[in-house]
Amino acid sequence: MSPIGQLSFILEGIRAGLLLALLVGPLLVLLLQMSLRRGTLAAFTAALGIWVSDISLIAVTHYGIGGLSSVLNTSYFEEMVGSIGSVILLITAAIMWFRDPPDLSEEREIPSKRGLLSAFAQGFAINTFNPFTIGFWSLFTVTQVHDRGLNDANAWAIYGGILLTIVITDSIKVLGARKLRDMLTPRVILQVQRLGALALGAFGVVLGVRVWLG
């Protein structure tokens, strides 16, 4: 296919990525809180975990669509994944609520390797065990790639457009949180942290209720 034709698939992916990026969810809260508490490097590491999770889900849905269908149809699969995601969100929310807010006036230390690994794992786990994420990539792959009979080159052009958009918008969120640091007082920091904890807790409760009672 000509470069112009390939570009059209990339632009199609960018449009889908913008829609996905505009949805406010637990990942946005995670990135903002991570940036304020543990610094920009840790927040970008969490974002890297999200991106690796997305790439993994793309590969699974694109190359294993037949096997994926049987897995998705397994009894209580959605309930199991949703329950794990709900528990992760609720635990993260509880920790965020009870811990002391960060002192932004102190000089930031470079996170340790263990701290960065923890940030990566948080981003990866919350994204991977989110039924919305699994549902989005599964539905998109089936309806926009396989049902249209796209070859691998065109399919990955679309996926690349989505991933590029996600990387850029997540980076903007992290850098935007860094800019907020200078405007935050200790009282506001505590309120932001508690609000973030409530938001994550709400997402966890809604997720649990939706998968079991929805």
Side-chain angles (χ1 to χ4, degrees), residues 30-81:
L30 172 68
L31 291 179
L32 294 179
Q33 288 288 331
M34 189 76 70
S35 180
L36 290 175
R37 168 165 287 278
R38 298 167 64 180
T40 304
L41 180 58
F44 270 117
T45 306
L48 179 61
I50 296 172
W51 305 334
V52 171
S53 170
D54 279 327
I55 294 173
S56 301
L57 290 173
I58 290 172
V60 170
T61 54
H62 181 73
Y63 294 111
I65 198 68
L68 179 67
S69 298
S70 61
V71 172
L72 292 176
N73 292 328
T74 302
S75 298
Y76 298 109
F77 172 78
E78 183 177 348
E79 286 82 359
M80 288 187 293
V81 173

